[in-house]
Amino acid sequence: MFFLADKQIITLITGAERGLGLQYAKNLGKAGHVIIIGAYDMTAGQAALKELQDDGITVLLSHCDITDQATVDETMATIKAKYGYLNILLNNAGISSPAFEKPSETSDEHIEKCFATNFYGTNRVIRAAVPLLKAADWAKVINMTSDLSSLTRAMDPKYGYSKINDLPYQASKTAVNALTMGYAKEFAGTNITFNSVNPGMTATDLVNKKQFEANGAQSVEAGAKAATELALAKNNDVNGQFLEAAGKIAW
Ligand SMILES: NC(=O)c1ccc[n+]([C@@H]2O[C@H](COP(=O)([O-])OP(=O)(O)OC[C@H]3O[C@@H](n4cnc5c(N)ncnc54)[C@H](OP(=O)(O)O)[C@@H]3O)[C@@H](O)[C@H]2O)c1
């Protein structure tokens, strides 16, 4: 457990009611962070709340649909009223493409759906959190993207998943990397850092779990490693990077 300036570490994780988000909540909660579950599905959120409380973690549940400004604002207002600051914003909430289609056959609707959650939703949460992040002694924003969002890897035939050509998901996550870059430059030299993290192929509800497991997808515990390590790092000098468990990734 680490406390800087003897203050509690306040951590908001979007989409923490299941999958990687719940694992981040367990890892950081067990390390002493106060966890705010930003939940889309409040039934699953209640179950996650109980599971974390049973583990002895200090945890709050807040309805936070990242496509809905009002619920995002309410979540920030709750954190402001209770703590007055936010140290870690883990932008974990995300969706996969509604269908796997060739780019030339993909509808605007499918592209817009992915961008509405993955890009606009993530940006909405960051923008709303900025005053709370500024109010903290130190703060880290960790944007969950994917190695599928690396343009370099996508065009590298030696990269195992370079044949995947899933325009809505990949483009929306590449756009989240652009958010990381933009905010990292704006806030360089301040108390707030911004980084993107790739968990790697992980068997969760986001994907066809059984098919992914058959293809060797890792466990949520392994998938949560990179962002957990970044969140728990005692220093806050990594800014504007794209990271995975093995190190840096090319954008
Ligand atoms: N699993 C992988 O292989 C993999 C690889 C690379 C990157 N990632 C990224 O890692 C993150 C977590 O994925 P996961 O695999 O843990 O998927 P998951 O199990 O489907 O979890 C995603 C979470 O985000 C929530 N969510 C969806 N729309 C939301 C919204 N509008 N507002 C708030 N929350 C919302 C989901 O809620 P509902 O389930 O109720 O919709 C769910 O709790 C995602 O950003 C994903 O793109 C995953």
Side-chain angles (χ1 to χ4, degrees), residues 17-18 20 40 64-66 92-93 145 169 173 202 204 206:
E17 65 266 36
R18 59 169 61 89
L20 285 161
Y40 184 49
C64 185
D65 172 355
I66 67 170
N92 166 77
T145 64
Y169 182 76
K173 289 289 189 178
T202 308
T204 65
L206 183 82

Side-chain angles (χ1 to χ4, degrees), residues 52-235:
L52 294 170
Q53 282 173 336
D54 288 349
D55 276 349
I57 293 167
T58 305
V59 54
L60 243 72
L61 173 64
S62 181
H63 182 215
C64 185
D65 172 355
I66 67 170
T67 66
D68 175 8
Q69 187 70 51
T71 64
V72 171
D73 289 344
E74 277 164 31
T75 298
M76 300 308 163
T78 302
I79 298 170
K80 185 174 180 201
K82 204 153 169 60
Y83 303 105
Y85 63 94
L86 179 65
N87 294 107
I88 295 181
L89 168 59
L90 218 160
N91 283 309
N92 166 77
I95 60 166
S96 54
S97 289
F100 287 108
E101 301 153 312
K102 292 177 185 165
S104 63
E105 293 168 6
T106 303
S107 65
D108 285 348
E109 190 194 337
H110 286 176
I111 296 170
E112 281 162 9
K113 199 163 191 297
C114 269
F115 268 80
T117 301
N118 296 345
F119 175 73
Y120 288 105
T122 300
N123 191 38
R124 177 175 295 112
V125 176
I126 296 173
R127 212 172 38 212
V130 161
L132 288 168
L133 297 166
K134 281 183 173 171
D137 293 337
W138 57 271
K140 302 178 185 180
V141 177
I142 302 174
N143 293 328
M144 208 50 56
T145 64
S146 166
D147 47 352
L148 294 176
S149 68
S150 162
L151 298 174
T152 308
R153 286 192 179 174
M155 295 308 285
D156 176 1
K158 292 197 290 301
Y159 165 59
Y161 304 123
S162 64
K163 286 199 171 57
I164 295 179
N165 198 3
D166 176 6
L167 184 64
Y169 182 76
Q170 289 180 272
S172 64
K173 289 289 189 178
T174 303
V176 176
N177 287 337
L179 285 180
T180 299
M181 289 183 193
Y183 281 95
K185 286 197 281 186
E186 178 181 344
F187 287 92
T190 74
N191 63 322
I192 316 172
T193 57
F194 292 82
N195 293 286
S196 285
V197 168
N198 165 40
M201 190 168 81
T202 308
T204 65
D205 295 338
L206 183 82
V207 289
N208 183 329
K209 201 171 178 176
K210 284 214 157 48
Q211 193 189 329
F212 255 44
E213 278 168 348
N215 286 326
Q218 63 191 343
S219 64
V220 282
E221 289 84 358
K225 188 170 180 277
T228 299
E229 282 180 0
L230 180 61
L232 293 182
K234 289 189 196 288
N235 51 17

